[in-house]
Amino acid sequence: DVTPTGAAQAIDLQMDGAIAEFSRRRMFGGEIGEIFIIPTGNHPLRPKHILLAGLGTFDRFTRDVLELVAENVIRTLVRSGVDDFATVVMGGSSGKDISVSLQHMLAGFVRGLLDADESHDFRRVTLCETNLERFNEMREQLYRLASTELFDKIEVSFEEEELPVPPAMAAQARGLGSMSEAPTYLYVQGDTVNGSVEFQASVLTSGSKAAVMTGRKLVANSDLTKLLAEIERPDFKKAIAQFGAKVSELVLSRDILTVLATMHDKHLVVVHDATTSRVPWETMRVGQWVPALAGGLSRRYSAENLSVAKLLEQRKKNPVLKILLVVDPTSNLEGAVREGERISKLFSSRPGFTLVTRFQAQATKQVLLKDFSSGEFDVMHYAGHAFFDAAKPSRSGIICAGNQILSGAELVSLARLPNLVFFNACESGRTRKAKADKPVRKRIEENIGLAEAYLRGGVANYIGTYWPVNDAAAMTFAEEFYMNVINGIPLGQALLLGRQKVEALGSVDWADYVHYGSADFLLKEKS
């Protein structure tokens, strides 16, 4: 759940974005000890293969994990007949002491070699580092370790070579290009304890001084439910700043808030599990910092066995954004009909957009399954009812004509899906009111359940809402969002610009939009 940066991103530039694409597709999960090998083919790289090693979630990255991963790496290479490789210090950007990390990585290498390399064919490990201070620290640690029992059974010699500045870094220094800045990650898990939830949160900062901070907070379920109920109050518009501060202070420890308060210019990625999914992270405020309105905020869902994302890269090269618009399949939602009319009017006469509409009775399950698997659409925009299965949220889905359910589970077998599903949870009313059709807690659970279902089905990006959006705000957001993505703006930035435009209207609906997926995902490449 962490986008490739640093060395991985530098290699990715030479691989024409292959690593980033595989990451977006969830082809490589990054579980502890998981190994993923990519041939370099004709790309301008010296080695024949690139090996990616899973370190697990950053909040549980320990010395034992590092040793296990290092052992798996060298075991894989030895068994494959590879006798030398180059690497950076694994987990070097996770805030661990570089000398300690190096020691435990080498311990894993040695353990794997002694067990797997029976014929003693393996020759060399090359350690790479671009920061001179860190390099000197590594060198000192290597010489110290050479005289310890770690290398009692291995003959060790050292060579040192200073290479030219890598082309990607040289181009960046000359202003010819740049590697995107890493976001800040907030990883949150919840454990239920006697009517309360213990929020276990970790922050991973970025850059050369990357660090991990972890904290815990015990929250009574009743307190969280009471706070969520404030969204229904008529004066919520005036109180959203205080509400966002309450959200942050209720579920995050003081240490976590202190670290987050220094991240003002960063995009924030919230990686959460099912238990903590009902927190409206988009509303959070830390001091004067509102992530969703500053650097932007996106989510990733931390769950086992998420399906590989089934997206079509070739659609990004098509200058036309093709939207499948599904409107009111149950024929009983006036608000959904208005939304369909609004979206149709917005794009019907604009160049660069093609809309295919399935209206009411046209939106049968059979037709939508065919549409989904056609590979023709960039976006599926749905205005209608959802079905929520509380016992197994992954079986949740949208309600088609004839009240048939198109669940996320039914998408697993499809080969090609829209790159983005935009679901607008519609109710009989189109504006939030004191007495809503459903309690906000129930709506949040249903929307998160639908997001999980479609992510498990293989959707790469999902946008949903917490509450019914005001018509003016929805129109403003849709126009700003879609216009930006068609001009080659990444989803996260387009979402941020849409939120800011809605906030400028004086509407609280900027906090309503929830994005699961990659903030740097492009629906359309710049022409």
Side-chain angles (χ1 to χ4, degrees):
D1 292 315
V2 175
T3 300
T5 57
Q9 189 179 45
I11 294 172
D12 192 40
L13 290 174
Q14 302 299 313
M15 290 287 290
D16 293 333
I19 296 174
E21 180 187 340
F22 296 160
S23 179
R24 284 194 299 268
R25 288 179 180 272
R26 302 192 288 267
M27 292 168 60
F28 171 59
E31 299 297 330
I32 293 174
E34 187 176 43
I35 302 297
F36 189 68
I37 296 177
I38 309 173
T40 57
N42 293 323
H43 290 99
L45 287 165
R46 184 178 299 176
K48 296 179 180 178
H49 298 89
I50 296 165
L51 183 148
L52 302 179
L55 301 177
T57 56
F58 63 78
D59 64 321
R60 298 187 179 182
F61 180 58
T62 65
R63 297 170 183 177
D64 288 339
V65 168
L66 179 53
E67 289 190 18
L68 171 64
V69 173
E71 180 181 351
N72 281 7
V73 165
I74 208 158
R75 187 184 297 278
T76 299
L77 295 174
V78 167
R79 293 300 190 189
S80 302
V82 176
D83 61 5
D84 77 311
F85 70 98
T87 183
V88 294
V89 175
M90 299 180 191
S93 296
S94 59
K96 305 294 183 183
D97 181 270
I98 191 70
S99 295
V100 174
S101 295
L102 177 60
Q103 177 180 347
H104 288 278
M105 183 177 75
L106 291 175
F109 286 161
V110 169
R111 192 166 66 203
L113 276 175
L114 294 178
D115 186 55
D117 188 21
E118 297 177 358
S119 56
H120 308 296
D121 293 327
F122 191 83
R123 298 183 299 114
R124 179 175 57 203
V125 176
T126 301
L127 301 176
C128 306
E129 178 56 58
T130 58
N131 181 286
L132 183 59
E133 181 181 347
R134 283 162 59 99
F135 177 79
N136 289 333
E137 191 175 348
M138 288 165 55
R139 178 204 286 136
E140 182 179 336
Q141 177 72 323
L142 277 172
Y143 285 133
R144 189 190 69 79
L145 291 173
S147 61
T148 67
E149 62 180 14
L150 176 63
F151 291 116
D152 277 354
K153 299 181 180 180
I154 293 180
E155 182 179 338
V156 180
S157 61
F158 296 105
E159 296 178 12
E160 185 177 318
E161 183 177 358
E162 184 174 350
L163 299 176
V165 176
M169 295 182 67
Q172 185 178 9
R174 296 195 306 269
L176 301 179
S178 64
M179 293 160 63
S180 59
E181 189 175 14
T184 296
Y185 292 87
L186 174 63
Y187 192 91
V188 192
Q189 291 181 303
D191 290 329
T192 303
V193 182
N194 298 326
S196 297
V197 177
E198 184 180 46
F199 283 80
Q200 303 175 49
S202 299
V203 175
L204 174 64
T205 60
S206 59
S208 60
K209 300 297 183 181
V212 176
M213 172 63 70
T214 299
R216 288 176 167 79
K217 192 77 177 287
L218 192 64
V219 180
N221 271 319
S222 58
D223 289 343
L224 182 56
T225 299
K226 182 180 178 181
L227 180 61
L228 294 178
E230 292 187 18
I231 294 175
E232 306 289 6
R233 290 170 46 180
D235 62 346
F236 182 63
K237 174 181 175 181
K238 298 179 180 179
I240 190 168
Q242 295 90 330
F243 178 84
K246 289 179 184 177
V247 168
S248 304
E249 292 168 4
L250 179 65
V251 302
L252 299 176
S253 69
R254 178 52 50 190
D255 288 342
I256 295 293
L257 292 175
T258 299
V259 174
L260 286 176
T262 66
M263 299 290 109
H264 287 190
D265 58 340
K266 303 288 188 179
H267 180 90
L268 181 65
V269 179
V270 181
V271 186
H272 62 71
D273 60 4
T275 302
T276 57
S277 62
R278 60 180 175 142
V279 175
W281 299 106
E282 289 68 23
T283 66
M284 68 182 293
R285 174 185 291 263
V286 181
Q288 297 303 309
W289 180 47
V290 182
L293 290 175
L297 183 148
S298 58
R299 298 186 181 211
R300 294 185 181 177
Y301 188 61
S302 178
E304 295 181 357
N305 304 320
L306 281 184
S307 173
V308 171
K310 296 179 274 292
L311 56 101
L312 279 176
E313 289 289 327
Q314 66 190 46
R315 289 220 55 86
K316 297 180 182 181
K317 302 182 186 301
N318 189 332
V320 175
L321 186 75
K322 194 167 184 180
I323 302 174
L324 173 64
L325 179 59
V326 182
V327 180
D328 189 24
T330 54
S331 301
N332 61 357
L333 287 174
E334 180 184 343
V337 173
R338 288 204 303 272
E339 178 171 339
E341 293 172 346
R342 188 175 63 240
I343 296 292
S344 296
K345 181 179 179 181
L346 186 62
F347 299 118
S348 59
S349 60
R350 291 180 183 269
F353 292 91
T354 298
L355 253 65
V356 174
T357 303
R358 305 297 183 212
F359 183 72
Q360 293 186 339
Q362 298 173 334
T364 65
K365 181 176 179 178
Q366 182 178 5
V367 167
L368 294 184
L369 275 172
K370 185 177 179 180
D371 287 335
F372 263 74
S373 60
S374 68
E376 295 182 13
F377 298 101
D378 302 291
V379 180
M380 192 278 278
H381 189 109
Y382 177 87
H385 276 308
F387 167 75
F388 176 64
D389 189 329
K392 191 172 184 181
S394 61
R395 286 199 294 249
S396 302
I398 60 175
I399 302 180
C400 306
N403 288 319
Q404 289 186 301
I405 310 299
L406 175 53
S407 70
E410 291 173 291
L411 303 182
V412 173
S413 60
L414 302 182
R416 299 174 293 183
L417 297 174
N419 290 352
L420 168 67
V421 169
F422 193 144
F423 177 80
N424 207 344
C426 291
E427 301 177 35
S428 58
R430 288 296 300 162
T431 56
R432 185 179 56 260
K433 47 190 181 291
K435 188 177 181 181
D437 294 51
K438 297 176 185 175
V440 66
R441 177 184 57 81
K442 181 69 172 174
R443 287 203 304 270
I444 290 174
E445 289 176 355
E446 292 186 2
N447 291 334
I448 297 302
L450 190 67
E452 177 186 343
Y454 275 73
L455 291 171
R456 288 190 180 279
V459 169
N461 294 279
Y462 177 95
I463 294 177
T465 58
Y466 277 132
W467 55 76
V469 187
N470 174 275
D471 278 346
M475 187 76 163
T476 299
F477 179 85
E479 181 174 19
E480 185 70 18
F481 175 77
Y482 284 123
M483 287 300 171
N484 278 290
V485 296
I486 201 173
N487 286 318
I489 301 297
L491 285 183
Q493 183 69 11
L495 196 75
L496 171 62
L497 294 171
R499 285 175 177 148
Q500 291 175 338
K501 204 73 175 283
V502 172
E503 197 265 344
L505 296 176
S507 169
V508 296
D509 287 337
W510 61 264
D512 195 18
Y513 292 96
V514 181
H515 172 221
Y516 285 92
S518 299
D520 59 355
F521 191 96
L522 291 177
L523 279 180
K524 291 296 168 192
E525 295 178 352
K526 291 182 179 179
S527 57

